[in-house]
Amino acid sequence: MDSPTQWQLPATHPALAPGQVHLWRLSLLVGPEQIAASRSLLGPDELAKAERFHFPRDQRRYTLARGALRRLLAAYLSRPAGDIRFVYNPQGKPALPTAELSFNLSHSGEIALFAFGRQGRVGVDIERHRPLDDLHALAESLFSQRELADLHSLPQAQQQTAFYDCWTRKEAFVKAIGDGLTYPLAQFDVSLLPGEAAALLRVKEEAQPANRWQMAAFAPASGFSGAIVVEGQGQELSFWGCAG
Ligand SMILES: CC(C)(COP(=O)(O)OP(=O)(O)OC[C@H]1O[C@@H](n2cnc3c(N)ncnc32)[C@H](O)[C@@H]1OP(=O)(O)O)[C@@H](O)C(=O)NCCC(=O)NCCS
């Protein structure tokens, strides 16, 4: 899978063929009309979830991301956005009731990412780089032994970016699987060293994870890390959107 950095703004909604994966990047910094338009697309459970956020900022981001997800799915499925129904696995991963399209989304700060494919599962993650006082303690609780060794081998000035690169790659993988953070995070290794291609290096009890999963890393914007994991070999990734 390539990881180009050009985000294209399509004139019309791009068709998604089997073997292709589309990654969309959208800004969540929009005006009240767009928030209202997104809210009008949400189902009762989504509206109830939006209400439960403590901070208005989180409610806005959730509402906009769900609205955008519905609009993008509607374009791929040629169906009204408000008619789309979701099902959830026990760990909360949303999916369509039929297997016609798989998708995943992530947001951090004011950027949202949406991944769509027609074959296999997908997982995507974005993280804004925030200074972390407890970077090493966090890494100890989240990373595998190999990842910790790689992180510690780097000069301090490179460790924050490497931390977020590693973290987004790990999250994209557990989101593709659908287990989220219930998946044992120390039982697989991803690459994190600068200049090293994004890769799933080892999954415990899986002899050749590289044959089953594709991983790509990209910069959603300056100061962010992003990663996508797709099930299956040789899928072609393209980048769409207009934020940043
Ligand atoms: C999924 C998870 C990794 C998200 O982490 P995050 O960095 O806070 O959030 P992101 O922005 O990257 O992703 C959130 C989106 O991922 C999707 N998502 C939710 N659960 C998911 C899962 N298990 N796997 C993949 N994607 C998931 C949703 O679309 C969610 O967006 P939404 O809240 O707008 O619906 C984390 O919340 C998790 O591990 N959840 C599972 C925990 C669990 O078992 N819960 C059981 C009760 S439902």
Side-chain angles (χ1 to χ4, degrees):
M1 191 192 291
D2 292 327
S3 55
T5 51
Q6 287 293 317
W7 299 80
Q8 311 166 59
L9 186 57
T12 56
H13 191 80
L16 180 66
Q20 294 181 335
V21 175
H22 288 178
L23 187 59
W24 288 85
R25 177 185 69 169
L26 298 177
S27 172
L28 300 177
L29 266 184
V30 297
E33 313 79 42
Q34 279 162 285
I35 301 169
S38 277
R39 191 177 296 120
S40 73
L41 301 176
L42 270 47
D45 57 327
E46 294 167 314
L47 291 169
K49 180 171 175 179
E51 288 301 319
R52 289 198 295 273
F53 285 102
H54 182 68
F55 294 108
R57 181 195 66 187
D58 295 331
Q59 183 179 113
R60 171 178 58 81
R61 289 173 177 167
Y62 171 81
T63 302
L64 285 166
R66 278 297 175 125
L69 173 67
R70 285 178 167 275
R71 277 193 296 275
L72 288 165
L73 283 170
Y76 285 118
L77 301 170
S78 303
R79 202 177 297 162
D83 289 359
I84 290 166
R85 297 283 166 264
F86 297 111
V87 294
Y88 297 86
N89 79 357
Q91 290 78 33
K93 182 174 183 175
L96 295 171
T98 58
E100 57 197 307
L101 201 75
S102 53
F103 66 87
N104 197 228
L105 72 91
S106 180
H107 48 86
S108 180
E110 300 294 354
I111 301 181
L113 295 177
F114 306 84
F116 300 90
R118 296 218 183 258
Q119 291 172 335
R121 291 169 284 180
V122 294
V124 66
D125 194 54
I126 177 173
E127 294 290 341
R128 186 167 61 87
H129 297 183
R130 286 165 284 114
L132 295 166
D133 295 336
D134 52 354
L135 183 147
H136 289 284
L138 258 181
E140 290 283 344
S141 67
L142 301 169
F143 291 3
S144 70
Q145 288 306 313
R146 176 182 176 146
E147 292 159 352
L148 285 172
D150 281 351
L151 184 69
H152 293 145
S153 75
L154 290 171
Q156 202 178 351
Q158 295 184 346
Q159 287 185 354
Q160 178 176 288
T161 297
F163 175 91
Y164 283 110
D165 286 350
C166 182
W167 179 233
T168 49
R169 292 169 199 185
K170 289 181 84 68
E171 261 214 60
F173 176 57
V174 298
K175 291 181 75 182
I177 287 179
D179 287 357
L181 300 179
T182 64
Y183 191 92
L185 295 173
Q187 294 196 6
F188 64 98
D189 304 323
V190 301
S191 59
L192 62 88
L193 295 173
E196 206 179 15
L200 182 60
L201 302 171
R202 177 194 69 102
V203 181
K204 197 177 176 205
E205 286 156 19
E206 203 177 322
Q208 291 179 303
N211 287 347
R212 173 128 181 234
W213 302 98
Q214 287 178 254
M215 176 181 282
F218 50 88
S222 173
F224 286 78
S225 291
I228 179 168
V229 168
V230 180
E231 190 173 18
Q233 276 296 307
Q235 302 221 46
E236 179 200 334
L237 178 63
S238 48
F239 293 72
W240 305 97
C242 53

